[in-house]
Amino acid sequence: EELEESELFCLISFLYHQDCFLMMMDIMKQNRERFIFFDELLFDEIEFSEKLNSRMVRLENLQKSE
């Protein structure tokens, strides 16, 4: 059964606060259409933790090297 919007966002929030970034990113990737913002400027205003930012950079570098 598919999660409702509120359940999905609660799950993502929980994973984020538990530093489960890979699992969080996987779920977001699988549900990417549910995370699309109408205003991309809103996304720029979000401040992610430094841990997440560094892991995202490492993932991008790994993808480029493959």
Side-chain angles (χ1 to χ4, degrees), residues 2-51:
E2 194 166 310
L3 294 173
E4 292 183 17
E5 296 295 318
S6 60
E7 294 170 327
L8 181 63
F9 287 115
C10 285
L11 175 61
I12 294 298
S13 176
F14 173 78
L15 292 172
Y16 178 79
H17 290 291
Q18 298 300 313
D19 293 337
C20 300
F21 301 123
L22 292 177
M23 190 179 299
M24 180 190 79
M25 297 297 279
D26 186 49
I27 291 171
M28 290 178 74
K29 184 177 180 181
Q30 292 173 8
N31 295 281
R32 75 181 90 194
E33 68 279 351
R34 297 172 78 180
F35 289 97
I36 295 174
F37 292 104
F38 293 105
D39 186 0
E40 291 180 2
L41 295 176
L42 292 175
F43 192 71
D44 292 334
E45 294 175 8
I46 297 174
E47 292 184 29
F48 294 107
S49 74
E50 190 56 42
K51 282 184 183 178

Side-chain angles (χ1 to χ4, degrees), residues 41-64:
L41 295 176
L42 292 175
F43 192 71
D44 292 334
E45 294 175 8
I46 297 174
E47 292 184 29
F48 294 107
S49 74
E50 190 56 42
K51 282 184 183 178
L52 177 60
N53 287 333
S54 66
R55 289 182 184 185
M56 287 174 61
V57 168
R58 283 189 279 170
L59 284 173
E60 287 175 14
N61 291 337
L62 282 174
Q63 289 175 345
K64 288 178 184 176

